[in-house]
Amino acid sequence: DAGVIQSPRHEVTEMGQEVTLRCKPISGHNSLFWYRQTMMRGLELLIYFNNNVPIDDSGMPEDRFSAKMPNASFSTLKIQPSEPRDSAVYFCASSMTGGDQPQHFGDGTRLSIL
Amino acid sequence: AQRVTQPEKLLSVFKGAPVELKCNYSYSGSPELFWYVQYSRQRLQLLLRHISRESIKGFTADLNKGETSFHLKKPFAQEEDSAMYYCALSGQTGANSKLTFGKGITLSVRP
């Protein structure tokens, strides 16, 4: 298995533009998580899905952020419009359901908003 | 509510020195605790979890429910241990099964 696959690896865009980050979880995993990592705030959970259904989106910063999981093998995180303070590394992770199940992380998307 | 506290941001030691990375947690139920590691330019990966009670790369961590701690220890640090380390907590089932991470600590092992 190639593990969790994220794309793009790097994204540089101007503020105001729409940004879409993509994630393919490990086959058979039914939980998917989106995180944001910054120097100031560390690793923050934005949203997570179980069986394609959003369970907790309380970490989503504001309405400019949205996430979807149309099927078990694909999820997107969208920022519209983007702002410089959104610059961060965004990680996707997947796992089997259950708190004792380890999460497997993707390589992350390094996002820079100019 | 779930909370994980890693009180230090940086720990710098010489090769061969003992290492202890501190982690304290707050959770009303019975937690699952993990340590994740992120080496330079690599993805975050699981290092160990308390339920396994195993030693990985010489690291161990013991859950102390009385002190609500899960400190990560290694008796003799190696240069390749230099990385970012995150402590994480999870409730066991249902809506609590998300991971809450601490802010992480950078371990630097000098030659």
Side-chain angles (χ1 to χ4, degrees):
Chain A
D1 196 323
V4 176
I5 300 173
Q6 291 187 247
S7 65
R9 291 291 306 274
H10 303 274
E11 174 91 11
V12 180
T13 191
E14 293 185 343
M15 65 177 293
Q17 298 297 308
E18 178 179 289
V19 172
T20 299
L21 311 181
R22 297 173 177 79
C23 176
K24 181 181 187 305
I26 292 174
S27 177
H29 283 183
N30 45 19
S31 292
L32 182 141
F33 307 81
W34 282 102
Y35 293 91
R36 179 172 66 178
Q37 183 184 43
T38 61
M39 290 289 290
M40 290 295 294
R41 301 169 73 94
L43 201 60
E44 302 173 278
L45 176 66
L46 300 178
I47 184 172
Y48 79 99
F49 297 82
N50 187 252
N51 293 322
N52 312 337
V53 176
I55 302 300
D56 184 350
D57 65 355
S58 59
M60 296 285 263
E62 47 196 275
D63 292 346
R64 297 185 296 106
F65 286 69
S66 62
K68 294 183 179 180
M69 192 165 186
N71 57 62
S73 60
F74 184 66
S75 177
T76 60
L77 177 68
K78 189 172 292 187
I79 308 173
Q80 167 62 23
S82 58
E83 296 182 3
R85 60 192 168 118
D86 301 330
S87 298
V89 181
Y90 290 81
F91 287 101
C92 176
S94 71
S95 75
M96 300 296 290
T97 300
D100 63 335
Q101 298 299 314
Q103 293 185 14
H104 298 260
F105 284 76
D107 287 325
T109 295
R110 187 173 294 275
L111 178 64
S112 297
I113 308 297
L114 306 177
Chain B
Q2 304 177 183
R3 183 180 296 173
V4 176
T5 302
Q6 293 180 253
E8 299 156 331
K9 287 192 173 182
L10 171 67
L11 179 63
S12 183
V13 301
F14 286 106
K15 176 182 173 181
V19 167
E20 182 179 65
L21 306 182
K22 290 182 169 39
C23 173
N24 289 91
Y25 68 89
S26 174
Y27 181 61
S28 57
S30 184
E32 297 287 342
L33 285 150
F34 306 82
W35 276 97
Y36 282 77
V37 61
Q38 187 178 27
Y39 300 103
S40 178
R41 301 184 186 282
Q42 293 188 27
R43 63 180 63 184
L44 207 66
Q45 58 188 285
L46 178 68
L47 180 62
L48 55 79
R49 47 182 165 167
H50 92 270
I51 196 171
S52 300
R53 302 187 65 82
E54 58 194 345
S55 173
I56 304 293
K57 299 184 178 182
F59 285 97
T60 59
D62 291 318
L63 176 61
N64 186 323
K65 291 187 177 181
E67 295 183 358
T68 59
S69 68
F70 189 57
H71 303 327
L72 184 67
K73 299 178 183 178
K74 184 169 183 176
F76 306 104
Q78 302 299 314
E79 289 179 67
E80 55 265 30
D81 296 328
S82 296
M84 187 86 171
Y85 291 81
Y86 289 93
C87 182
L89 174 153
S90 174
Q92 291 180 312
T93 60
N96 288 330
S97 63
K98 65 181 181 181
L99 276 180
T100 298
F101 284 86
K103 291 198 182 299
I105 180 171
T106 299
L107 174 63
S108 174
V109 182
R110 293 170 285 172

